[in-house]
C-alpha cells in the first residue's frame, strides 16, 4: 500500500478518522486531504502528522483545495494529482443531523429512514464522479455517501463509484463475536458472508432485529460453512445487547475503519475479503473480494447473485426507496415520504437524477424552517 497515492475528499468526521487511522500505519500510502477550507486542511494534516509522529510513524501527508461544486476545476486538480485511489466522504448533510431534534420528534422523523434524504447524499458524489470522468484519470473511487443506493443510480449514467464503505461492514465485527460465542471458539476462527442493506445494518445494533426486512448471513469456522450450527436471530440480538456500542459521531470511527480495509484491499495485488455496500453498482451490501484488479462479490453458499440483489432491493423499500429506474430516477416509498411531508412539508414522490441538487436545497430549507419553528 505504501506506493499508492490516496486522495481523501472531505475533511469531516469520517475523512479525518480515516486519515488518522492510515497515517498511523507503517505501510501508510501517500495521502492528500482535500476540501474547500485551506486553513482547516493545513491544521488537520499537521495534527494527523504530529500524532502519527508521536507514535513513531512519519506519514507522507499533503493537502489540496477542492470545491466539488466546481466540476471543471475539480477535474483539473484530479488530473494534476493523479491519485491511485479517491475516497470521497462529501455529502450535503450528515445522516446524524436529525439527532439534534427533541427525542419525540426525532423518533417520528427517524421512521422515515434515510431514503427521503437521498438528494443530500447523491448530489455531491454525482459531481465528484463527473469530475473524475472529465479528468481522464484511471482511479478507483471509494464512496461514503449512501453507497447502497447512490452507486446503482449513478451507474445508470455511467458514473458509478467502484465501491462503498460502512453500513454492512459496520455490523460484521459484532456478528463475528456473537457467532464465536455460540460456536465456543475464538473470533479469529470465524468469518462471515453477510448480504444486508443499510436499513438492517443500521437497525439491528439499536433493536436487535431487522424490522421485517430480509437479509442473509453465512457463518464459517476455519473456512467450513457452519451456518446450520448458529441461531441467527440470537446473533442479531447479541449485537444490540452484549456487543452494543456507541453510535452517532463517535461511532463514525467504525465506518472509517471499514474504509481503511477497503482502501488497503484496493492497493493490494492479492484479493482481500471485505464487506462493503455498492460493489459493482449493486444495491445494498455484500461480501467482496477486493484488490487492485477490481471487486468480486463472494456470496454465502447456496445464494445466487440474483437472489442477493433481490434481498437488498426488498430491504431498500424499508429504507424509503421503492424503485431505482433505468434512467437513474427514483420513486420513494409512500409511507416514508408521508412522514416527511407531515413534519417538514417536503413532498417529492419521484426524483430525477438531474433534479437532485434542487431537491436537496428544498429539503434543507424545509428542515431548517422546521427547526426554527421549534424555538
Amino acid at each position: 500500500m505504501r506506493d499508492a497515492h490516496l486522495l481523501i475528499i472531505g475533511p469531516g468526521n469520517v475523512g479525518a478518522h480515516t486519515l488518522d487511522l492510515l497515517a498511523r500505519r507503517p505501510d501508510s500510502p501517500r495521502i492528500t486531504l482535500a476540501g474547500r477550507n485551506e486553513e482547516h486542511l493545513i491544521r488537520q494534516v499537521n495534527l494527523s502528522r504530529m500524532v502519527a509522529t508521536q507514535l513513531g510513524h512519519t506519514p507522507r501527508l499533503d493537502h489540496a483545495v477542492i470545491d466539488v461544486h466546481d466540476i471543471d476545476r475539480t477535474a483539473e486538480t484530479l488530473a494534476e494529482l493523479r491519485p491511485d485511489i479517491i475516497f470521497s466522504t462529501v455529502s450535503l448533510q450528515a445522516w446524524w443531523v436529525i439527532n439534534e431534534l427533541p427525542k419525540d420528534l426525532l423518533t417520528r422523523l427517524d421512521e422515515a429512514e434515510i431514503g427521503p434524504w437521498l438528494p443530500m447524499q447523491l448530489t455531491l458524489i454525482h459531481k465528484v464522479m463527473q469530475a473524475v470522468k472529465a479528468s481522464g484519470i484511471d482511479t478507483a473511487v471509494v464512496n461514503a455517501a449512501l453507497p447502497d443506493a447512490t452507486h446503482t443510480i449513478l451507474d445508470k449514467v455511467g458514473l458509478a463509484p467502484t465501491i462503498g464503505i460502512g453500513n454492512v461492514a459496520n455490523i460484521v465485527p459484532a456478528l463475528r463475536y456473537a457467532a464465536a460465542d455460540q460456536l465456543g471458539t475464538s473470533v479469529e476462527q470465524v468469518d462471515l458472508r453477510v448480504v444486508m442493506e443499510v436499513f438492517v445494518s443500521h437497525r439491528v445494533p439499536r433493536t436487535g432485529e431487522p424490522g421485517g426486512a430480509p437479509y442473509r448471513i453465512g457463518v464459517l469456522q476455519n473456512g467450513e460453512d457452519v451456518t446450520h450450527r448458529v441461531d441467527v436471530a440470537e446473533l442479531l440480538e447479541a449485537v444490540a445487547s452484549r456487543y452494543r456500542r456507541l453510535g452517532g459521531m463517535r461511532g463514525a470511527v467504525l465506518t472509517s475503519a471499514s474504509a481503511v480495509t477497503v482502501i488497503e484491499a484496493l492497493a493490494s495485488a492479492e484479493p482481500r475479503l471485505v464487506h462493503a455496500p455498492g460493489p459493482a453498482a449493486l444495491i445494498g451490501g455484500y461480501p467482496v473480494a477486493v484488490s487492485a484488479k477490481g471487486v468480486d462479490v463472494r456470496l454465502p453458499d447456496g445464494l445466487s447473485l440474483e437472489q442477493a440483489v433481490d434481498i437488498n432491493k426488498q430491504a431498500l423499500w424499508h429504507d424509503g426507496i421503492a424503485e431505482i429506474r433505468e434512467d437513474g430516477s427514483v420513486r420513494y416509498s409512500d409511507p416514508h415520504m408521508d412522514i416527511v411531508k407531515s413534519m417538514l412539508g417536503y413532498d417529492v414522490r419521484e426524483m430525477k437524477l438531474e433534479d437532485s441538487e434542487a431537491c436537496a436545497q428544498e429539503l434543507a430549507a424545509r428542515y431548517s424552517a422546521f427547526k426554527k419553528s421549534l424555538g
Side-chain angles (χ1 to χ4, degrees):
M1 185 170 66
R2 188 164 178 79
D3 293 333
H5 178 199
L6 169 67
L7 173 66
I8 300 177
I9 303 177
N13 203 20
V14 171
H17 276 314
T18 304
L19 173 64
D20 283 336
L21 290 172
L22 286 169
R24 299 169 193 175
R25 300 177 72 88
D27 61 343
S28 176
R30 181 162 63 94
I31 306 173
T32 301
L33 181 67
R36 291 185 292 181
N37 185 328
E38 186 168 27
E39 181 64 19
H40 178 80
L41 294 171
I42 291 170
R43 289 177 179 273
Q44 177 61 67
V45 164
N46 279 331
L47 175 62
S48 297
R49 177 183 287 119
M50 301 314 164
V51 172
T53 302
Q54 191 81 285
L55 296 173
H57 306 291
T58 52
R60 297 160 297 164
L61 308 182
D62 204 346
H63 76 277
V65 176
I66 288 180
D67 180 356
V68 298
H69 287 282
D70 187 339
I71 295 171
D72 291 340
R73 180 57 190 142
T74 299
E76 292 173 4
T77 303
L78 295 180
E80 294 167 4
L81 294 174
R82 308 194 71 81
D84 300 295
I85 302 168
I86 295 172
F87 177 35
S88 173
T89 72
V90 292
S91 68
L92 291 173
Q93 178 173 294
W95 65 267
W96 44 261
V97 164
I98 66 171
N99 291 345
E100 302 165 346
L101 296 174
K103 186 174 181 180
D104 59 331
L105 296 178
L106 169 61
T107 299
R108 285 174 55 199
L109 189 55
D110 196 42
E111 290 177 354
E113 303 302 337
I114 198 169
W117 301 92
L118 171 66
M120 299 297 200
Q121 307 298 321
L122 177 60
T123 299
L124 295 189
I125 186 58
H126 185 202
K127 291 177 183 286
V128 168
M129 294 309 299
Q130 289 177 79
V132 170
K133 184 175 182 179
S135 73
I137 64 173
D138 181 16
T139 184
V141 180
V142 182
N143 169 45
L146 192 56
D148 294 71
T150 57
H151 291 195
T152 304
I153 294 167
L154 292 173
D155 186 53
K156 305 301 184 183
V157 294
L159 294 174
T162 308
I163 195 169
I165 57 110
N167 301 349
V168 63
N170 290 351
I171 198 173
V172 169
L175 287 171
R176 286 182 64 203
Y177 276 102
D181 291 343
Q182 285 195 35
L183 293 167
T185 189
S186 67
V187 70
E188 291 86 359
Q189 307 304 313
V190 176
D191 290 308
L192 300 182
R193 301 290 185 272
V194 180
V195 174
M196 190 176 286
E197 199 268 340
V198 63
F199 172 83
V200 183
S201 62
H202 179 73
R203 181 183 177 89
V204 167
R206 292 154 180 79
T207 67
E209 51 83 29
Y215 64 94
R216 178 69 69 88
I217 297 175
V219 182
L220 293 86
Q221 182 177 2
N222 295 321
E224 177 187 355
D225 191 327
V226 293
T227 309
H228 62 283
R229 293 175 50 196
V230 173
D231 186 321
V232 174
E234 286 188 8
L235 293 185
L236 301 188
E237 192 280 330
V239 172
S241 56
R242 181 174 185 181
Y243 294 108
R244 63 192 183 277
R245 61 175 175 82
L246 294 175
M249 289 184 67
R250 184 67 186 92
V253 68
L254 183 58
T255 301
S256 296
S258 83
V260 170
T261 68
V262 170
I263 291 165
E264 285 183 332
L266 283 170
S268 172
E270 297 300 322
R272 300 186 185 186
L273 188 80
V274 301
H275 281 82
L282 298 174
I283 291 172
Y286 306 82
V288 191
V290 179
S291 72
K293 298 176 183 177
V295 301
D296 182 25
V297 176
R298 301 284 178 88
L299 297 172
D301 287 349
L303 187 69
S304 71
L305 181 59
E306 182 180 7
Q307 290 170 325
V309 171
D310 187 59
I311 285 170
N312 283 331
K313 279 185 178 180
Q314 291 181 54
L316 188 65
W317 183 93
H318 290 264
D319 242 340
I321 298 176
E323 181 184 9
I324 298 173
R325 299 187 174 121
E326 286 305 311
D327 62 354
S329 64
V330 170
R331 179 171 63 85
Y332 294 106
S333 310
D334 285 334
H336 301 86
M337 190 56 75
D338 286 345
I339 295 171
V340 178
K341 178 183 177 181
S342 67
M343 295 187 70
L344 306 185
Y346 177 81
D347 187 21
V348 175
R349 303 288 163 156
E350 299 184 359
M351 184 185 76
K352 296 179 180 178
L353 176 57
E354 59 266 29
D355 295 334
S356 177
E357 186 165 15
C359 289
Q361 290 170 350
E362 181 185 351
L363 185 53
R366 290 188 179 273
Y367 180 69
S368 177
F370 174 70
K371 280 189 64 182
K372 287 181 181 178
S373 72
L374 302 178

